[in-house]
Amino acid sequence: MFDHNNQMLGNPFSFQYSQLNVLFHGEFGSQTPIYLPVSNVAKFQIMLKEVTYTDQSRYLDGNILQPLPPFPDSQQSLYEKERKKSTKETAHLPLQKTRHKKRILIFSLLSVLALSLIIGIGYYSIFVIHPNHSYEKAEDDIHSGDYEKSIQNSADYEDSETQSKEIQYQEAGVLVAEGSYKEAIEYYKNIYDYKDSAQLQNQAKYNYAVQLLENGNFEDCFYQLNTLHDLKSFEGSDEVYLECCYQLGIQYTQEGKYNEAADKLNACLDYKDGRQKLIKCADLNIEYIIETNDWRNRFSALSMYPPGYDRTAKEKYLESMLRY
């Protein structure tokens, strides 16, 4: 089987017609179409592997094999009985062999043509007479959990958009169950107006933020929390937000980003030792200003201390800056 680019589609497969009594020039297989395993077949090749004739001789992979031991008369094929009635016995053995070989060759060619016709009829029946075959197959794929295959099979049909959304909806649910929240968010984003995808997307974002916090990715966690429309509607969101700000304040302080650190620590002054962490951040900021002679930022540095902080200490730092 090949597609329009002459690329082979899958491995060859075999099909067998058995227990059929076919008369000479007779038709067979028209009621038994061959279902192709792939849908985008542009052309195919047929190789005749084996044929058993009425005298029990066989055509097998290009070779004519000797007849098997004869069957009882009750099991003779209809064609054999008709042939015996219409054919006279002859004493010329060479002539019999020649005619027999001709019959084998003719029957082999007819078998190939008949098989080609059957496959063509099957293809026409599946993809022309029944154009929704792939679409129906896509529904089966949904139930079996093969969502990627279902998306391919559902394309170009009357309600394929709804079908595609349902597939992505189901796939997103599987991803959430697996903890793959980032991938699930993208699916829900594509079907935002389908069913309750908007609410599920927000929940996936919150779950993803919690996951990022647990993994120590505090900046991405803070970003995800700020994309939520109503953060307080999620259970435990207050503590998650405070912990994220607290950890970011510590991280930024260690990186020397004192203004960013102070911004996050101001949001969690009453959480854990957030107040002390902010004082430490302000002290380090003033030391940095003294070391770098950055006098322009000395007043903003003094205002970084939390409310109620002892002004004597601030004045002490300011005096040290002036003396320097």
Side-chain angles (χ1 to χ4, degrees), residues 6-131:
N6 207 32
Q7 296 294 319
M8 180 176 289
L9 302 173
N11 296 319
F13 71 98
S14 60
F15 189 86
Q16 178 178 358
Y17 287 101
S18 60
Q19 299 180 353
L20 294 178
N21 294 314
V22 184
L23 296 177
F24 192 64
H25 290 297
E27 178 186 298
F28 70 95
S30 60
Q31 301 302 317
T32 310
I34 300 175
Y35 290 92
L36 302 179
V38 292
S39 61
N40 56 332
V41 177
K43 62 180 180 178
F44 50 82
Q45 293 178 344
I46 299 173
M47 294 196 313
L48 188 63
K49 301 293 292 184
E50 182 177 355
V51 177
T52 301
Y53 302 102
T54 55
D55 61 356
Q56 302 311 309
S57 62
R58 291 189 300 160
Y59 171 86
L60 180 62
D61 292 330
N63 298 313
I64 303 298
L65 304 181
Q66 293 298 322
L68 298 172
F71 289 100
D73 185 67
S74 59
Q75 297 183 19
Q76 293 285 337
S77 68
L78 294 175
Y79 171 70
E80 179 67 15
K81 293 178 180 179
E82 291 295 328
R83 189 179 66 82
K84 285 184 177 181
K85 291 179 182 179
S86 60
T87 304
K88 295 180 179 180
E89 299 293 338
T90 175
H92 302 287
L93 186 59
L95 182 58
Q96 282 185 329
K97 290 184 177 180
T98 302
R99 290 177 177 176
H100 183 65
K101 290 181 178 180
K102 288 183 178 179
R103 285 198 297 270
I104 291 175
L105 180 59
I106 293 173
F107 192 79
S108 299
L109 292 174
L110 290 175
S111 298
V112 173
L113 292 175
L115 188 59
S116 301
L117 179 61
I118 292 166
I119 294 176
I121 292 173
Y123 182 86
Y124 181 82
S125 174
I126 294 172
F127 299 107
V128 180
I129 299 177
H130 301 291

Side-chain angles (χ1 to χ4, degrees), residues 235-272:
E235 184 178 357
S237 60
D238 288 342
E239 184 173 358
V240 170
Y241 182 80
L242 290 173
E243 179 66 20
C244 182
C245 290
Y246 178 81
Q247 294 295 342
L248 272 179
I250 296 174
Q251 175 182 320
Y252 288 150
T253 299
Q254 293 172 347
E255 295 173 354
K257 300 177 181 179
Y258 302 116
N259 289 327
E260 293 88 339
D263 180 64
K264 297 299 182 291
L265 291 170
N266 269 304
C268 58
L269 285 177
D270 299 325
Y271 180 74
K272 294 184 177 180

Side-chain angles (χ1 to χ4, degrees), residues 67-276:
L68 298 172
F71 289 100
D73 185 67
S74 59
Q75 297 183 19
Q76 293 285 337
S77 68
L78 294 175
Y79 171 70
E80 179 67 15
K81 293 178 180 179
E82 291 295 328
R83 189 179 66 82
K84 285 184 177 181
K85 291 179 182 179
S86 60
T87 304
K88 295 180 179 180
E89 299 293 338
T90 175
H92 302 287
L93 186 59
L95 182 58
Q96 282 185 329
K97 290 184 177 180
T98 302
R99 290 177 177 176
H100 183 65
K101 290 181 178 180
K102 288 183 178 179
R103 285 198 297 270
I104 291 175
L105 180 59
I106 293 173
F107 192 79
S108 299
L109 292 174
L110 290 175
S111 298
V112 173
L113 292 175
L115 188 59
S116 301
L117 179 61
I118 292 166
I119 294 176
I121 292 173
Y123 182 86
Y124 181 82
S125 174
I126 294 172
F127 299 107
V128 180
I129 299 177
H130 301 291
N132 285 338
H133 174 75
S134 295
Y135 178 76
E136 293 166 357
K137 183 66 171 61
E139 292 182 332
D140 295 337
D141 293 330
I142 292 177
H143 298 306
S144 65
D146 194 346
Y147 303 109
E148 294 295 334
K149 189 174 181 181
S150 182
I151 291 174
Q152 296 174 3
N153 284 327
S154 66
D156 300 327
Y157 291 102
E158 56 272 11
D159 62 342
S160 59
E161 182 178 356
T162 301
Q163 181 83 332
S164 177
K165 287 183 177 180
E166 177 62 24
I167 294 167
Q168 295 182 72
Y169 183 85
Q170 296 286 347
E171 175 69 2
V174 172
L175 291 170
V176 167
E178 295 175 347
S180 301
Y181 303 114
K182 184 177 181 180
E183 293 81 358
I185 290 169
E186 292 302 316
Y187 275 97
Y188 286 130
K189 181 179 179 181
N190 294 334
I191 54 170
Y192 193 78
D193 58 345
Y194 183 71
K195 292 185 176 180
D196 57 344
S197 295
Q199 292 82 356
L200 293 177
Q201 183 190 26
N202 279 333
Q203 183 65 55
K205 285 183 177 181
Y206 178 72
N207 292 344
Y208 183 41
V210 174
Q211 186 182 71
L212 291 168
L213 180 64
E214 293 173 349
N215 294 335
N217 196 337
F218 308 120
E219 288 184 329
D220 286 346
C221 172
F222 189 79
Y223 171 78
Q224 288 296 329
L225 292 174
N226 280 277
T227 62
L228 296 171
H229 299 300
D230 186 10
L231 178 60
K232 292 186 178 296
S233 65
F234 297 97
E235 184 178 357
S237 60
D238 288 342
E239 184 173 358
V240 170
Y241 182 80
L242 290 173
E243 179 66 20
C244 182
C245 290
Y246 178 81
Q247 294 295 342
L248 272 179
I250 296 174
Q251 175 182 320
Y252 288 150
T253 299
Q254 293 172 347
E255 295 173 354
K257 300 177 181 179
Y258 302 116
N259 289 327
E260 293 88 339
D263 180 64
K264 297 299 182 291
L265 291 170
N266 269 304
C268 58
L269 285 177
D270 299 325
Y271 180 74
K272 294 184 177 180
D273 59 342
R275 183 180 180 86
Q276 286 70 32

Side-chain angles (χ1 to χ4, degrees), residues 287-301:
E287 291 177 6
Y288 174 78
I289 290 175
I290 293 174
E291 291 175 359
T292 58
N293 295 326
D294 188 7
W295 306 111
R296 293 173 300 176
N297 293 322
R298 64 184 185 275
F299 294 109
S300 61

